[in-house]
């Protein structure tokens, strides 16, 4: 018996169901919502101005801190923790805090000339994205760092090789639609074939039933080693696979004797999704729930005998992965199916250049337009980078669409994710559906199973946590009741902070704004010595962070490698070597510490010049006519001065002349003398340099490989913005990358290119 049921949204369907079924559906939906809403979380995405850097350069970045359900800018977090670490050595080479403003943060990192060439991870943490159940790291960007782009170009750009000629030890995984194979019920089985390093293999093979060929199969999409086939499993028979040219047998997953299957029906109407549910367990009530990012979107209930079809309208669902979960009468999940819905619901970004080819130092004008899926103007927050193609990492296909649409929602390796969002790719719908099957059941991070495990606690504070501890306390000592914070200038930005009962205190973002660093001052004295201990967010991150990184993979094809070689030798003009020399300046103290240094020299120094003009003359000790010595002045000083036993006269071995210098104090000594602790604040903001050749034609060579970087372009009510910048002296092809978020969490990404030639 087969019946068809059309189901709309939860609020519409409940009135038409019986009281018991209505309550069951409410319970099913509320369970998921309670798990999701227990503690809100954010999701962080990082965009850098390019993919490959030379040592000694500045790396520029922007971070999007979005609510992880609605993908809208979040106000939950106020501090962004950034770390740069070498991939292989997992050694941190940079860590700083940056301010988050209304869900966005941007800044720069100086790449020291001492850094080793290789691949690095740029990682970002916030309070609401970093918990004790964070799992693999997603808020990460891979970058390449080299000493010289020309000498190490090929090694960094084409580090991965294709595996079309390597079918050694293939790994074959099977993924039945819905989760299980059930005896006598037709099923779709997706598969993925990789080598031992996780690289996809493109091949074909045969399914055998009782040693007889039953059907053939082959990989079908993007060369990513994925495909699917259909058959009716029989639990009384033996099944195995063979790949062409291989002797190894691969077994199918276990075939259940009893069960229920969930099969998506192919339809041309993208406004609704239809499922065929089959079972061999007899009469049973079933429930189907649709949820996206932990938010229940629709639910249905039906009576299943042998087969039933359910159709759910999805045109009002958000863009992205939707999980359809089938439950039995005991509300136990029995089958699941992921689908990627409403790809067209996004931020559309288009650009118009003033022309396609420019001269060196010529002005470029770029018009940007952002619209929604209906073609209506949409305001958006965008980041734009324009850089020399030589500094783009061909093996990195991660963007804001793949990050929030796939990487943060699916477990397992995702190869070439940008292809799934390429509108020019006519097979992307097929590819997305295969990906949903391969990375499907129990691989979706919003699954109820995983949400139950994520009873997380937030590990980071929105600032710095500190505590004052007593070292020695005499009866005349004064109990500490507060600490003060002092900025690096020491003037105009001093604040006092009362201690809690347990002598602890917290310093929030307003204090971190004092500068790259600031000082915490306690008020201990000789009668009551205390020490201040602080916990910086990086202390926690370095102690408990999961070093596992989930990053999409991309394998460079032979054609792309040929493009790399030709681009290197024919398109990019190599520049003459430039050696920049300068006198090294060792900056020891900021203004505040410098003043304290001078104060220490005056207050702690016991040296004097006697009225006789002799430095530290014992005869004139404590004489009112003594003066302070002047640094750099020449003074006489007794040699081996000594008094006679009766103290009436003295003798010495003569004089020596010295150039006077005040005593030197180390930074640590000054901090200790004045009860100070130095702490990192927000890393300083800096503006990206842009020349204006209309105003001034600089005679010096211009070797900028990043022509333009602007992390906060806002389109107006017409969805428009116009920017301009100037080309450098480098003849090359330049790439422009634009990404951003618009109203209602709609994401968009766009690339463009142009050529710069010499006059």
């Amino acid at each position: 018996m087969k019946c068809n049921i059309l189901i709309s949204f939860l609020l519409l369907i409940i009135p038409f169901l019986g009281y018991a079924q209505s309550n069951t559906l409410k319970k099913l939906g509320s369970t998921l919502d309670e798990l999701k809403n227990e503690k809100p979380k954010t999701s962080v995405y990082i965009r850098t101005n390019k993919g490959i850097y030379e040592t000694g350069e500045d790396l520029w970045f922007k971070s999007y801190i979005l609510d992880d359900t609605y993908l809208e800018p979040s106000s939950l977090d106020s501090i962004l923790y950034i770390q740069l670490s070498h991939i292989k050595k997992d050694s941190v080479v940079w860590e700083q805090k940056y301010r988050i403003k209304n869900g966005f943060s941007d800044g720069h990192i100086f790449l020291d000339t001492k850094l080793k060439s290789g691949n690095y991870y740029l990682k970002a943490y916030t309070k609401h994205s970093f918990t004790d159940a964070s799992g693999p790291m997603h808020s990460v960007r891979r970058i390449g760092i080299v000493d010289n782009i020309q000498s190490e170009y090929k090694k960094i750009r084409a580090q991965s090789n294709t595996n079309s000629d390597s079918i050694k030890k293939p790994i074959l995984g099977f993924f039945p639609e819905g989760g299980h194979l059930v005896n006598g019920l037709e099923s779709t089985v997706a598969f993925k074939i990789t080598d031992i390093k996780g690289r996809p293999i493109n091949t074909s093979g045969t399914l055998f039933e009782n040693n007889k060929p039953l059907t053939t199969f082959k990989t079908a999409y993007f060369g990513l080693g994925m495909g699917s086939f259909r058959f009716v499993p029989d639990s009384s028979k033996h099944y195995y696979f063979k790949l062409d040219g291989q002797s190894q047998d691969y077994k199918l997953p276990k075939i259940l004797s009893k069960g229920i299957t969930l099969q998506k029906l192919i339809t041309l109407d993208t406004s609704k999704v239809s499922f065929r549910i089959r079972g061999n367990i007899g009469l049973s009530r079933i429930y189907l729930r649709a949820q996206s990012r932990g938010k229940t979107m629709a639910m249905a209930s039906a009576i299943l005998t042998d087969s039933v079809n359910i159709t759910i309208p999805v045109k009002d669902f958000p863009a992205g992965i939707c999980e359809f979960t089938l439950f039995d009468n005991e509300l136990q999940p029995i089958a699941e199916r992921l689908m990627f819905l409403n790809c067209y619901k996004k931020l559309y970004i288009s650009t118009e250049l003033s022309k396609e080819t420019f001269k060196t130092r010529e002005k470029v004008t770029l018009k940007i337009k952002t619209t929604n899926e209906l073609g209506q103007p949409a305001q958006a927050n965008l980041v734009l980078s324009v850089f020399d193609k030589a500094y783009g990492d061909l093996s990195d296909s991660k963007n804001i669409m793949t990050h929030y649409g796939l990487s943060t929602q699916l477990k397992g390796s995702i190869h070439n994710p940008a292809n799934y969002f390429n509108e020019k790719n006519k097979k992307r719908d097929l590819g997305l559906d295969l990906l949903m099957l391969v990375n499907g059941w129990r691989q979706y991070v919003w699954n109820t199973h995983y949400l139950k495990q994520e009873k997380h606690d937030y590990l980071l504070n929105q600032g710095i946590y500190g505590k004052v501890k007593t070292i020695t306390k005499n009866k005349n000592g004064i109990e500490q009741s507060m600490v003060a914070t002092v900025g690096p200038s020491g003037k105009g930005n001093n604040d006092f902070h009362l201690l809690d009962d347990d002598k602890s205190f917290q310093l929030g973002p307003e204090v971190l704004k004092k500068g790259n660093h600031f000082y915490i001052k306690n008020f201990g004295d000789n009668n009551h010595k205390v020490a201040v201990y602080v916990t910086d967010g990086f202390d926690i991150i370095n102690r408990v962070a999961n070093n596992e990184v989930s990053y999409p993979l991309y394998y460079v094809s032979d054609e792309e490698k040929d493009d790399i070689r030709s681009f290197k030798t024919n398109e990019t003009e190599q520049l003459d070597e430039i050696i920049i020399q300068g006198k090294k300046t060792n900056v020891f103290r900021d203004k505040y510490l410098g003043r304290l240094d001078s104060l220490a020299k005056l207050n702690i120094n016991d040296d004097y010049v006697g009225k006789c003009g002799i430095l530290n003359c014992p005869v004139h000790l404590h004489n009112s006519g003594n003066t302070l010595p002047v640094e750099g002045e020449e003074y006489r000083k007794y040699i081996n001065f000594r008094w006679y036993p009766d103290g009436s006269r003295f003798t010495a071995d003569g004089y020596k002349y010295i150039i006077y210098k005040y005593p030197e104090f180390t930074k640590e000594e000054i901090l200790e003398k004045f009860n100070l602790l130095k702490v990192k604040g927000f890393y300083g903001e800096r503006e990206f340099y842009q020349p204006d050749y209309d105003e001034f034609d600089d005679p010096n060579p211009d070797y900028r490989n990043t022509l333009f970087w602007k992390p906060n372009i806002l389109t107006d009510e017409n969805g428009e913005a116009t920017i301009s910048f100037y080309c450098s002296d480098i003849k090359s092809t330049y790439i422009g990358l634009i990404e951003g978020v618009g109203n209602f969490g709609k994401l968009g990404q766009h690339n463009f290119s142009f050529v710069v030639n010499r006059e």
Side-chain angles (χ1 to χ4, degrees):
M1 175 181 137
K2 182 188 296 185
C3 62
N4 294 290
I5 300 176
L6 175 64
I7 298 298
S8 187
F9 291 105
L10 175 63
L11 294 178
L12 296 178
I13 63 176
I14 286 179
F16 300 100
L17 298 172
Y19 178 78
Q21 283 73 43
S22 175
N23 280 346
T24 301
L25 288 173
K26 287 182 179 179
K27 178 181 178 181
L28 198 58
S30 62
T31 299
L32 180 70
D33 294 338
E34 288 172 3
L35 288 170
K36 169 63 188 72
N37 296 328
E38 186 175 341
K39 286 190 176 180
K41 291 184 68 176
T42 57
S43 183
V44 183
Y45 170 73
I46 310 175
R47 162 53 65 188
T48 54
N49 63 303
K50 54 182 181 176
I52 300 175
Y53 297 82
E54 291 178 300
T55 55
E57 285 191 290
D58 279 319
L59 178 155
W60 300 86
F61 72 88
K62 176 177 181 175
S63 289
Y64 288 83
I65 300 90
L66 306 184
D67 173 89
D68 67 347
T69 298
Y70 300 100
L71 299 185
E72 295 179 336
S74 172
S75 59
L76 288 175
D77 293 315
S78 53
I79 300 175
L80 180 71
Y81 297 86
I82 289 285
Q83 282 188 333
L84 181 66
S85 59
H86 195 284
I87 289 180
K88 290 186 177 179
K89 299 178 181 179
D90 197 33
S91 56
V92 176
V93 299
W94 176 281
E95 57 182 26
Q96 293 287 349
K97 296 184 284 288
Y98 298 81
R99 188 182 180 190
I100 298 174
K101 302 176 184 177
N102 302 317
F104 305 99
S105 181
D106 60 87
H108 74 284
I109 296 172
F110 175 70
L111 302 177
D112 196 283
T113 55
K114 296 179 182 179
L115 289 178
K116 300 293 184 181
S117 294
N119 288 310
Y120 289 75
Y121 280 142
L122 185 65
K123 301 177 181 179
Y125 305 88
T126 65
K127 176 178 179 177
H128 291 90
S129 68
F130 181 56
T131 69
D132 57 357
S134 295
M137 183 72 174
H138 292 286
S139 52
V140 59
R141 171 68 63 178
R142 190 189 69 216
I143 63 168
I145 298 179
V146 299
D147 290 329
N148 181 280
I149 193 69
Q150 296 295 344
S151 61
E152 301 193 54
Y153 185 85
K154 182 178 177 181
K155 182 172 65 175
I156 296 295
R157 284 291 302 273
Q159 58 185 315
S160 301
N161 201 348
T162 55
N163 60 325
S164 57
D165 59 348
S166 174
I167 314 293
K168 297 179 180 179
K169 296 183 179 180
I171 299 173
L172 181 56
F174 298 100
F175 308 90
E177 183 177 24
H180 297 296
L181 294 174
V182 181
N183 180 54
L185 303 182
E186 185 181 39
S187 296
T188 297
V189 180
F191 61 86
K192 185 174 183 179
I193 309 172
T194 64
D195 64 12
I196 57 176
K197 293 185 177 181
R199 296 177 297 189
I201 295 174
N202 305 308
T203 185
S204 57
T206 303
L207 170 64
F208 289 85
E209 181 184 77
N210 289 345
N211 297 321
K212 294 182 179 179
L214 180 63
T215 185
T216 59
F217 64 91
K218 63 180 180 178
T219 53
Y221 178 70
F222 286 157
L224 296 183
M226 296 192 301
S228 66
F229 59 90
R230 296 180 61 80
F231 85 119
V232 179
D234 186 339
S235 58
S236 66
K237 296 180 180 178
H238 173 63
Y239 296 92
Y240 64 91
F241 279 81
K242 279 187 177 295
L243 298 178
D244 292 346
Q246 300 289 310
S247 58
Q248 182 178 354
D249 294 345
Y250 297 89
K251 294 182 180 180
L252 273 177
K254 181 181 178 181
I255 301 173
L256 303 181
S257 59
K258 297 289 184 179
I260 297 176
T261 62
L262 179 67
Q263 175 192 344
K264 185 198 75 170
L265 297 177
I266 303 299
T267 174
L268 297 178
D269 187 352
T270 59
S271 66
K272 57 188 178 182
V273 174
S274 297
F275 293 98
R276 177 164 297 164
I277 302 167
R278 292 189 176 97
N280 59 6
I281 60 174
L283 186 67
S284 175
R285 177 167 290 280
I286 56 172
Y287 301 91
L288 183 65
R289 182 185 67 194
Q291 64 96 357
S292 177
R293 291 184 174 271
K295 181 177 176 60
T296 302
M297 302 304 301
M299 291 188 292
S301 176
I303 297 295
L304 172 67
T305 52
D306 58 350
S307 177
V308 62
N309 290 356
I310 295 180
T311 298
I312 297 181
V314 296
K315 65 178 180 178
D316 293 324
F317 283 25
I321 296 176
C322 185
E323 179 202 54
F324 295 89
T325 307
L326 191 65
F327 297 86
D328 63 17
N329 196 46
E330 301 297 325
L331 299 188
Q332 296 300 309
I334 52 179
E336 293 179 4
R337 179 64 154 88
L338 299 187
M339 292 188 63
F340 200 100
L341 302 176
N342 300 329
C343 282
Y344 65 92
K345 289 186 177 181
K346 66 173 188 174
L347 179 70
Y348 289 81
I349 306 173
S350 61
T351 56
E352 180 183 341
L353 282 165
S354 48
K355 55 184 182 178
E356 296 180 357
T357 302
F358 296 86
K359 299 176 183 179
T360 57
R361 302 199 178 193
E362 187 175 0
K363 185 176 183 178
V364 179
T365 300
L366 178 72
K367 294 182 179 179
I368 303 171
K369 178 78 173 179
T370 52
T371 61
N372 61 19
E373 65 272 14
L374 301 177
Q376 300 166 335
Q379 292 182 295
N381 185 304
L382 307 174
V383 56
L384 168 62
S385 181
V386 181
F387 57 90
D388 185 343
K389 183 179 178 181
Y391 293 82
D393 186 355
L394 186 65
S395 64
D396 188 358
S397 62
K398 180 175 184 174
N399 59 48
I400 196 169
M401 303 283 287
T402 69
H403 177 78
Y404 287 112
L406 297 177
S407 297
T408 58
Q409 299 198 64
L410 296 175
K411 294 181 179 293
S413 299
I414 302 177
H415 300 83
N416 303 5
N419 272 325
Y420 298 110
F421 297 94
N422 184 354
E423 296 179 1
K424 296 179 181 179
N425 190 343
K426 297 180 180 179
K427 295 183 178 180
R428 67 172 183 153
D429 291 338
L430 168 63
L432 269 173
D433 202 51
L434 280 173
L435 183 65
M436 297 301 103
L437 288 170
V438 168
N439 289 65
W441 197 22
R442 299 306 184 209
Q443 293 292 302
Y444 181 55
V445 299
W446 291 99
N447 190 288
T448 307
H449 174 73
Y450 286 109
L451 287 174
K452 286 181 178 179
Q453 293 179 333
E454 279 208 1
K455 301 282 186 179
H456 59 259
D457 290 319
Y458 301 129
L459 300 179
L460 298 179
N461 293 313
Q462 296 280 30
I464 292 175
Y465 174 82
K467 196 160 189 176
V468 175
K469 294 186 178 181
T470 300
I471 299 176
T472 61
K473 181 179 179 181
N474 297 329
K475 61 181 181 179
N476 296 324
I478 299 175
E479 190 76 14
Q480 294 287 297
S481 61
M482 67 179 66
V483 294
T485 53
V486 186
S489 68
K491 293 183 178 180
N493 57 354
N494 303 343
D495 297 300
F496 295 93
H497 309 271
L498 294 176
L499 302 180
D500 294 334
D501 292 340
D502 62 352
K503 302 302 179 185
S504 65
F505 61 92
Q506 291 193 31
L507 306 178
E510 292 303 312
V511 178
L512 271 61
K513 287 165 54 179
K514 289 179 180 289
N516 284 0
H517 64 270
F518 61 93
Y519 300 96
I520 301 175
K521 179 176 177 59
N522 71 75
F523 299 96
D525 53 32
N526 292 332
N527 294 319
H528 190 109
K529 291 186 178 180
V530 299
V532 177
Y533 300 90
V534 298
T535 300
D536 189 286
F538 289 114
D539 300 330
I540 298 173
I541 291 170
N542 293 329
R543 186 172 70 251
V544 304
N546 185 351
N547 292 326
E548 181 184 355
V549 170
S550 177
Y551 206 82
L553 304 175
Y554 187 93
Y555 297 106
V556 183
S557 67
D558 293 333
E559 292 80 7
E560 288 169 323
K561 288 183 180 180
D562 289 338
D563 177 64
I564 289 174
R565 288 189 287 269
S566 64
F567 174 71
K568 177 185 175 182
T569 57
N570 296 335
E571 291 187 36
T572 301
E573 179 175 296
Q574 297 190 23
L575 302 173
D576 296 333
E577 182 180 9
I578 297 177
I579 300 176
I580 301 176
Q581 295 179 332
K583 183 177 180 180
K584 183 177 180 181
T585 301
N586 202 359
V587 179
F588 172 47
R589 299 177 175 92
D590 54 38
K591 291 182 179 180
Y592 178 59
L593 219 56
R595 288 199 296 272
L596 294 182
D597 186 22
S598 300
L599 186 62
K601 290 174 180 178
L602 292 174
N603 292 347
I604 302 174
N605 182 26
D606 294 327
D607 292 336
Y608 61 93
V609 180
K611 67 177 184 178
C612 60
I614 297 174
L615 182 67
N616 295 332
C617 175
V619 178
H620 297 99
L621 181 65
H622 304 308
N623 191 289
S624 60
N626 294 345
T627 59
L628 291 174
V630 178
E631 188 164 20
E633 291 291 326
E634 184 178 68
Y635 297 99
R636 289 185 301 164
K637 190 173 184 180
Y638 286 119
I639 300 174
N640 295 328
F641 176 92
R642 52 196 180 276
W643 290 98
Y644 278 88
D646 61 2
S648 61
R649 53 189 178 138
F650 67 90
T651 183
D653 296 337
Y655 302 97
K656 64 179 178 180
Y657 289 86
I658 65 169
I659 303 298
Y660 184 78
K661 288 186 178 181
Y662 277 106
E664 293 289 338
F665 297 105
T666 65
K667 179 177 66 176
E668 290 72 21
E669 288 173 333
I670 294 176
L671 293 176
E672 182 179 0
K673 289 178 185 297
F674 291 94
N675 296 332
L676 296 172
L677 178 67
K678 185 177 180 180
V679 183
K680 284 184 177 180
F682 285 134
Y683 192 67
E685 296 181 358
R686 180 178 166 188
E687 188 175 350
F688 180 80
Y689 169 71
Q690 297 180 67
D692 186 346
Y693 290 127
D694 286 345
E695 294 291 331
F696 175 66
D697 189 11
D698 191 343
N700 297 310
D702 182 354
Y703 297 130
R704 291 173 299 126
N705 55 65
T706 298
L707 300 184
F708 188 78
W709 166 258
K710 194 170 183 62
N712 52 357
I713 297 176
L714 302 177
T715 56
D716 60 20
E717 64 276 8
N718 296 317
E720 297 176 347
T722 300
I723 57 96
S724 61
F725 55 90
Y726 292 86
C727 300
S728 66
D729 291 336
I730 302 176
K731 183 189 77 170
S732 184
T733 297
Y734 287 85
I735 304 296
L737 299 181
I738 307 180
E739 294 183 321
V741 58
N743 296 332
F744 309 108
K746 293 181 180 179
L747 308 175
Q749 187 268 346
H750 176 72
N751 300 345
F752 62 90
S753 64
F754 60 89
V755 175
V756 175
N757 290 319
R758 290 200 182 279
E759 294 182 271

